[in-house]
Amino acid sequence: DAPTGLVATALSERSIQLTWAAVSGATGYRVERQPVGGTFAQIAEVTPTSYTDAGLTPGTAYNYRVRTVVNTSVSGPSESVSEQTLGQELAGNITAVRQLSADTVYILKGTVQVHDGGEVRIPAGTTILGDKVSQGTLLVLQGGRIIAEGTAMDPIVFTSAQAPGSRQKGDWGGV
């Protein structure tokens, strides 16, 4: 029998924890991951009824399923679940200096407005993802400033928060 009760929980920008109900007689479980728009592939074989998938891309959605192993037999897959890794939310009004960091992935939620006297400083190598549901948008109003210091070797990336392969025109509002 395939495992039931599969739950995926984002723990951080780079990890998702999976838990499921034990299957009587199981000698192990095969964990499979699918990037949204990709195909399922086995990423681990474990004996406990939990697994933490680490080293993931921040702000990215993944699908998971689990198979039961009983000696040399393998069950069909469980129902799949989806979860997105965390990213630091960038939302609301910016009225003072907001310094971003290249080691953090940001997710634009709704319309983020840089007001007169406000400033967003974006260092080289920073990634900013636009949320599809809220149409994440960065709007710089008159008197507001954006200081973007990307380079050819270390660009600033603005893109959709949808998984690669699933991104489409209009996923987010833009800059």
Side-chain angles (χ1 to χ4, degrees), residues 92-124:
N93 296 320
I94 297 173
T95 57
V97 174
R98 174 77 189 265
Q99 177 68 52
L100 304 186
S101 174
D103 64 359
T104 301
V105 172
Y106 297 89
I107 300 178
L108 286 173
K109 293 277 192 165
T111 300
V112 179
Q113 295 184 4
V114 184
H115 288 266
D116 185 15
E119 182 176 290
V120 178
R121 296 180 182 167
I122 309 171

Side-chain angles (χ1 to χ4, degrees), residues 1-172:
D1 291 344
T4 59
L6 179 60
V7 175
T9 306
L11 297 179
S12 71
E13 294 175 348
R14 297 195 178 271
S15 66
I16 294 175
Q17 182 180 53
L18 304 170
T19 59
W20 57 90
V23 175
S24 180
T27 56
Y29 300 93
R30 289 188 181 169
V31 180
E32 299 175 349
R33 175 181 65 214
Q34 173 194 41
V36 175
T39 58
F40 276 101
Q42 182 178 330
I43 57 170
E45 187 158 333
V46 297
T47 52
T49 57
S50 65
Y51 176 75
T52 299
D53 191 12
L56 301 172
T57 302
T60 302
Y62 297 91
N63 295 319
Y64 293 93
R65 66 187 186 190
V66 179
R67 297 175 187 264
T68 302
V69 177
V70 179
N71 300 319
T72 59
S73 298
V74 180
S75 75
S78 66
E79 297 225 2
S80 65
V81 296
S82 182
E83 181 63 290
Q84 181 172 315
T85 52
L86 302 177
Q88 184 173 335
E89 190 172 295
L90 191 57
N93 296 320
I94 297 173
T95 57
V97 174
R98 174 77 189 265
Q99 177 68 52
L100 304 186
S101 174
D103 64 359
T104 301
V105 172
Y106 297 89
I107 300 178
L108 286 173
K109 293 277 192 165
T111 300
V112 179
Q113 295 184 4
V114 184
H115 288 266
D116 185 15
E119 182 176 290
V120 178
R121 296 180 182 167
I122 309 171
T126 301
T127 298
I128 301 173
L129 305 174
D131 180 60
K132 183 175 182 174
V133 173
S134 68
Q135 285 291 289
T137 304
L138 181 60
L139 184 61
V140 182
L141 303 174
Q142 187 171 354
R145 294 176 29 144
I146 181 171
I147 310 296
E149 301 174 337
T151 66
M153 296 299 293
D154 214 3
I156 294 168
V157 176
F158 282 89
T159 190
S160 167
Q162 298 297 103
S166 297
R167 295 176 178 150
Q168 296 180 9
K169 182 178 178 180
D171 275 352
W172 63 293

